[in-house]
Amino acid sequence: MKYLFGIFICFSCLFKTAEAQKIYSKLGVHAGYMPKFTVQEATDSHVRPLGVRLMVSDYDMAPLEFGVHAYARYGKTARLSYGASLAFLIGEWKAHDFKAGLSLSKIELEDVLLEDVGIIGPQVGDVRFQGLGNEFKPFIEWEWLGTPLASFFVQMSYRIINGEKTVVTEVEEVDSPVFDFPMNELRERDWSFFYSASGFEIGFGVSIHLLRE
C-alpha cells in the first residue's frame, strides 16, 4: 500500500512539474514477449506481459528519462508488477532516440503447489512466495519520434528477481474429520531468500505525447 501511494505521489509531481517547466511527457502501452520466464520453481513459456507507462524528460536539462509503470499477464509465473525506471539518452539521430536504463519493480509471484490427484492438504515440494518480490530489469530502447502526437519504441531487457519463499519439506498423513480417506498435515517448512535470473524479453509499444515543447 505504501508503494502504491508513492507511485501516486510521483504521478502528481510529474504532472505539476510538466505544467510549470514544459517537460516532455508521454503515456504509452507496452507489450512484451518472453520465450521463457522462470522464478525459482515457477516457470512458464511464451509469456506476453502487457502494461502502461508514463515517461517524462527534459533533455535540455539532462539526458535522462524517468517513468512509472504497471504490467500484468505474466502467465503462470506472476500476477502483476509495478514500479519506476530511469533511462539515459545515449544517442540521437534525426527522429530516433537510443536509450539505456534500469527498471525497478515490485512483482507479485504465483505460488507453485503440487496437484497429485487424491491427495488433500499440503505436499512436499509446495512453494509459497512471501510478499512481493523485487525485480531489476536493465534495458536498451530505440524510439522513433516520427510524428508530433505519438512515437513508437522497441525495448530489449533482462529480468532479475529476488524475494523470500518457503518450501514444504515434511508432511504427516492424518485422518480427515470430514472425508473417509486421510489427508496431509504440514509438519515442516523451510524459508529462504533467493535471486533468480528470470529471462530475456523483447517489447514494443506506442506512446501518446501528452506535452511537448
Side-chain angles (χ1 to χ4, degrees):
M1 192 66 186
K2 292 181 180 179
Y3 204 89
L4 288 173
F5 181 73
I7 289 180
F8 173 77
I9 295 297
C10 287
F11 269 99
S12 301
C13 292
L14 293 178
F15 281 117
K16 289 179 181 178
T17 306
E19 292 175 359
Q21 299 182 12
K22 299 295 184 182
I23 288 179
Y24 187 7
S25 61
K26 299 169 289 185
L27 181 64
V29 176
H30 185 184
Y33 172 73
M34 290 180 281
K36 191 172 184 179
F37 186 30
T38 301
V39 185
Q40 297 290 285
E41 293 82 359
T43 185
D44 202 355
S45 300
H46 308 296
V47 177
R48 297 174 176 84
L50 181 66
V52 294
R53 67 181 200 175
L54 174 67
M55 313 296 292
V56 296
S57 61
D58 184 354
Y59 291 152
D60 291 335
M61 180 179 296
L64 299 173
E65 184 175 60
F66 174 77
V68 291
H69 56 259
Y71 294 90
R73 290 181 54 184
Y74 285 103
K76 296 183 296 184
T77 306
R79 296 181 182 89
L80 57 91
S81 67
Y82 52 88
S85 66
L86 184 66
F88 179 77
L89 181 67
I90 58 178
E92 294 178 281
W93 181 71
K94 296 184 178 180
H96 305 272
D97 285 352
F98 302 91
K99 294 170 277 188
L102 177 66
S103 169
L104 303 176
S105 304
K106 288 291 186 179
I107 184 166
E108 185 178 0
L109 300 170
E110 295 278 11
D111 295 331
V112 180
L113 305 179
L114 305 181
E115 298 180 354
D116 288 348
V117 178
I119 296 180
I120 296 179
Q123 301 177 55
V124 174
D126 283 354
V127 178
R128 292 191 181 276
F129 293 101
Q130 307 298 298
L132 297 173
N134 302 304
E135 178 187 88
F136 307 88
K137 188 175 78 168
F139 65 86
I140 57 174
E141 182 174 301
W142 161 72
E143 185 171 20
W144 177 63
L145 304 163
T147 69
L149 300 179
S151 58
F152 174 81
F153 62 89
V154 176
Q155 185 183 100
M156 293 285 293
S157 61
Y158 190 87
R159 295 172 186 266
I160 300 170
I161 295 174
N162 68 16
E164 302 175 23
K165 70 173 185 177
T166 62
V167 182
V168 175
T169 56
E170 184 180 342
V171 297
E172 181 181 354
E173 192 175 273
V174 297
D175 292 333
S176 171
V178 178
F179 305 102
D180 294 332
F181 47 85
M183 61 181 295
N184 285 345
E185 186 175 277
L186 177 65
R187 288 303 180 203
E188 193 69 36
R189 184 188 290 272
D190 281 350
W191 172 92
S192 63
F193 184 82
F194 69 87
Y195 273 89
S196 186
S198 296
F200 288 97
E201 176 184 343
I202 182 170
F204 63 92
V206 176
S207 295
I208 302 299
H209 300 170
L210 303 177
L211 187 63
R212 185 174 183 177
E213 289 190 43

